[in-house]
Amino acid sequence: MASMARCCCRVLLLLLLFVIAASADDTKRDDERAPKSDSCNNPFQLVKVKSWVDAEEGHVYNGVTARFGSSLPDKPQNSVRTPATFSDPADCCSTPTSKLSGSVALCVRGDCDFTTKATFAQAGGATGMLVINDAEDLFEMVCSNSTEANISIPVVMITKSAGEALNKSLTSGRKVEILLYAPPRPLVDFSVAFLWLMAVGTIVCASLWSDLTTPEKFDERYNELYPKESSNTETGKYDSEKEIVNIDSKGAIIFVIAASAFLVLLFFFMSSWFIWVLIVLFCIGGIEGMHNCIVSLSSRKWPNFGQKTVNLPLFGEISIFSLVVLLFCLAFAIFWAATRRESYSWVGQDILGICLMITVLQLAQLPNIKVATVLLCCAFVYDIFWVFISPVIFHESVMITVARGDKAGGEAIPMLLRFPRLFDPWGGYDMIGFGDILFPGLLVSFAHRFDKDNKRGVSNGYFLWLVIGYGIGLIFTYLGLYLMNGNGQPALLYLVPCTLGVIIVLGCIRGELKSLWNYGTEPSMSAEPSEV
């Protein structure tokens, strides 16, 4: 029973982790299709809305400017603290009856155009306008036609919850003051360097894992957690080998098609309960991965830890050490799930995710470059289609929408590595999807096995060059992210040429492409090194 549960768990891991190859994203958006004119051509800017209630400093809310209106200073000391007043009528679609002179007008999103709202607020003497959206996102306010928008006050949209908080203070008779400024994002966010190290380090560790953990000893001790199904020595010896999933060309194509179908389901049906399903599955995978990593590393350093056992119902004889580690991993995953909205939760998510990916890269293997070419080319098209082409069909990028959790209250999917933007005044996280590590990681792991089987050194092998290629591909990914003004990028667009392309070109130069292409299918090629 335990063996069956373990198998089901790993099937779930292989299904989910290859589905989401989410790219890093940014909150900045742009709508080039909207009508523009000389007075309606402003770039969208993220805005800090700093508030005071009865002279006491309150919350700082986020907003976004409109295509029209005046620009905002980038520093708070260059802005002016101004009283806030709720307009009457609340939608600002007609001449206001409330006194707006010398104040920032608060207007709800109504039926009239945004330029119409701003015109009435400006005519009433308002020094600025905050438009309260009817949802928890920031809508791009554009001009409805190409006519001139003679608006000289700043116009900013804030979220529904921010507007409700300000309205609550105003309706209770308290004085609310507002200060607006738009600090720029840094040109280069050095936090991506840490994310780069995590991604590259995960692939290197996963590829070298069997060397680091002496699998012959580890397999025997790790399997003590589960009841022995046979007393046959040979069965126990090759038990771990049977669990390895060798991907073939047909399976690679079917897998990417299934991943696309699952991504569409997430796009249409993602909700808070769906996110919870993903969180539970992520925790199951994280527990399995973390347990695997801790036990394997500990078994190498302290080989006697797994000797003491205890009998449990349904599980039979279990290593006490493995059981303690399992309980620790379970507690760790539960703690992360309960505190996943806290600022420090990225640490737990990254630990669980890295352990999970290391374990998956031990379970799934590419037999040769032929299968790698099929899988990575399909993944290449998959990533580009769902990031860049899907907006033509679905009116928004399916991949980025799912990754951000736009349809689940803004809660992002957990299958991401995250690192906080330490030097960005807007905060947030740089992210990379598990798929952007796992797909190239399969190829890098194959290169290490090929080098090891054929007794290749560092210089005349393929592993080091693929690791370098993957690192360069990630650099190109983030360079593309900056050049595209923070819009989401399909990371595999850069990673596949920098990994698959490198091994194919290098194989051609060395005259070994045929050996790499058919590796494992011909005994002579898998048993002897190819000639250089």
Side-chain angles (χ1 to χ4, degrees):
M1 181 177 292
S3 179
M4 183 181 297
R6 189 181 182 192
C7 181
C8 292
C9 173
R10 293 183 173 184
V11 169
L12 287 172
L13 300 186
L14 292 175
L15 173 64
L16 285 176
L17 296 180
F18 287 100
V19 169
I20 307 298
S23 303
D25 67 276
D26 200 299
T27 51
K28 185 177 179 179
R29 305 175 184 177
D30 204 1
D31 187 355
E32 298 296 336
R33 297 170 296 177
K36 297 179 183 178
S37 63
D38 291 340
S39 60
C40 191
N41 195 30
N42 295 343
F44 295 113
Q45 289 181 295
L46 290 172
V47 178
K48 293 285 187 182
V49 182
K50 198 172 183 179
S51 66
W52 285 263
V53 179
D54 288 341
E56 292 185 5
E57 189 170 336
H59 294 285
V60 178
Y61 306 102
N62 292 339
V64 62
T65 58
R67 276 277 188 218
F68 50 89
S70 62
S71 59
L72 291 168
D74 58 359
K75 295 180 181 179
Q77 54 267 33
N78 296 331
S79 186
V80 179
R81 189 164 144 184
T82 309
T85 303
F86 220 103
S87 175
D88 186 13
D91 58 6
C92 293
C93 289
S94 59
T95 303
T97 58
S98 57
K99 185 178 179 181
L100 301 179
S101 180
S103 64
V104 174
L106 273 66
C107 306
V108 298
R109 186 175 174 181
D111 297 327
C112 61
D113 299 334
F114 293 114
T115 51
T116 301
K117 295 176 184 291
T119 299
F120 280 116
Q122 181 175 277
T127 60
M129 183 177 74
L130 294 182
V131 179
I132 303 171
N133 198 12
D134 52 11
E136 288 303 307
D137 60 356
L138 298 175
F139 186 80
E140 296 169 345
M141 295 183 290
V142 298
C143 299
S144 58
N145 51 56
S146 59
T147 58
E148 294 294 318
N150 297 316
I151 307 299
S152 58
I153 61 174
V155 179
V156 176
M157 174 165 282
I158 58 176
T159 63
K160 179 181 179 180
S161 59
E164 289 175 348
L166 293 174
N167 184 39
K168 183 178 180 180
S169 298
L170 287 170
T171 53
S172 62
R174 307 172 74 182
K175 181 181 179 182
V176 177
E177 295 174 294
I178 297 295
L179 185 143
L180 305 174
Y181 65 102
R185 311 204 81 153
L187 180 62
V188 178
D189 181 11
F190 295 100
S191 296
V192 299
F194 296 96
L195 194 65
W196 184 91
L197 288 173
M198 285 196 294
V200 174
T202 298
I203 286 182
V204 172
C205 287
S207 300
L208 301 177
W209 196 255
S210 60
D211 300 334
L212 297 174
T213 57
T214 58
E216 291 80 9
K217 295 180 181 179
F218 160 68
D219 286 339
E220 180 182 350
R221 299 188 183 283
Y222 183 76
N223 289 330
E224 290 179 5
L225 178 62
Y226 302 94
K228 295 179 175 61
E229 300 177 359
S230 173
S231 59
N232 189 299
T233 305
E234 292 299 316
T235 302
K237 181 178 179 180
Y238 297 105
D239 189 50
S240 62
E241 293 181 4
K242 293 179 181 178
E243 295 175 353
I244 293 176
V245 178
N246 285 303
I247 304 171
D248 57 20
S249 299
K250 182 179 179 181
I253 296 173
I254 294 174
F255 195 73
V256 173
I257 293 174
S260 297
F262 191 72
L263 189 64
V264 173
L265 288 176
L266 286 175
F267 177 76
F268 283 110
F269 300 107
M270 179 176 280
S271 58
S272 57
W273 69 266
F274 210 147
I275 286 290
W276 263 110
V277 171
L278 295 178
I279 289 173
V280 170
L281 292 176
F282 172 72
C283 287
I284 293 173
I287 292 169
E288 171 77 8
M290 194 173 179
H291 179 265
N292 174 32
C293 292
I294 294 176
V295 171
S296 59
L297 289 174
S298 301
S299 295
R300 180 185 180 184
K301 190 170 182 62
W302 300 288
N304 296 324
F305 270 14
Q307 292 183 351
K308 294 183 179 181
T309 60
V310 63
N311 285 314
L312 291 180
L314 301 179
F315 291 95
E317 188 178 4
I318 301 176
S319 165
I320 295 178
F321 174 68
S322 294
L323 181 60
V324 171
V325 172
L326 180 63
L327 294 176
F328 168 77
C329 296
L330 179 63
F332 187 92
I334 292 174
F335 177 79
W336 170 81
T339 61
R340 69 189 186 283
R341 295 181 183 273
E342 301 295 333
S343 59
Y344 54 80
S345 66
W346 64 273
V347 177
Q349 181 172 329
D350 289 350
I351 291 174
L352 291 170
I354 290 172
C355 293
L356 175 56
M357 285 186 285
I358 289 175
T359 300
V360 169
L361 289 174
Q362 306 309 303
L363 298 176
Q365 293 183 359
L366 294 174
N368 48 50
I369 295 302
K370 177 182 177 181
V371 176
T373 301
V374 174
L375 177 64
L376 291 179
C377 286
C378 288
F380 179 82
V381 174
Y382 165 89
D383 219 18
I384 293 174
F385 179 84
W386 291 114
V387 173
F388 284 155
I389 303 178
S390 62
V392 178
I393 303 173
F394 299 93
H395 305 295
E396 56 184 324
S397 174
V398 173
M399 183 74 76
I400 295 176
T401 300
V402 171
R404 278 199 305 245
D406 289 352
K407 298 186 177 182
E411 183 167 2
I413 58 175
M415 276 70 87
L416 298 163
L417 291 186
R418 302 188 297 157
F419 197 90
R421 293 169 178 161
L422 302 175
F423 307 100
D424 192 332
W426 293 99
Y429 295 88
D430 289 307
M431 299 178 289
I432 183 170
F434 285 179
D436 300 329
I437 299 174
L438 290 172
F439 280 116
L442 286 168
L443 181 59
V444 177
S445 296
F446 164 78
H448 174 67
R449 292 197 313 275
F450 182 88
D451 291 349
K452 187 177 179 181
D453 291 346
N454 293 280
K455 298 179 174 59
R456 297 299 180 86
V458 174
S459 59
N460 66 340
Y462 293 90
F463 172 68
L464 176 62
W465 298 109
L466 286 187
V467 171
I468 294 173
Y470 179 78
I472 293 174
L474 273 185
I475 292 174
F476 285 152
T477 301
Y478 287 108
L479 180 61
L481 187 66
Y482 290 126
L483 293 178
M484 294 290 288
N485 295 321
N487 293 310
Q489 295 290 294
L492 294 178
L493 171 65
Y494 310 95
L495 295 175
V496 170
C498 289
T499 52
L500 182 63
V502 166
I503 196 170
I504 289 177
V505 171
L506 198 56
C508 288
I509 294 173
R510 294 175 175 178
E512 300 174 341
L513 184 58
K514 185 177 180 181
S515 298
L516 291 165
W517 190 264
N518 298 308
Y519 185 72
T521 59
E522 299 179 22
S524 60
M525 291 181 178
S526 59
E528 299 177 2
S530 302
E531 295 182 2
V532 179

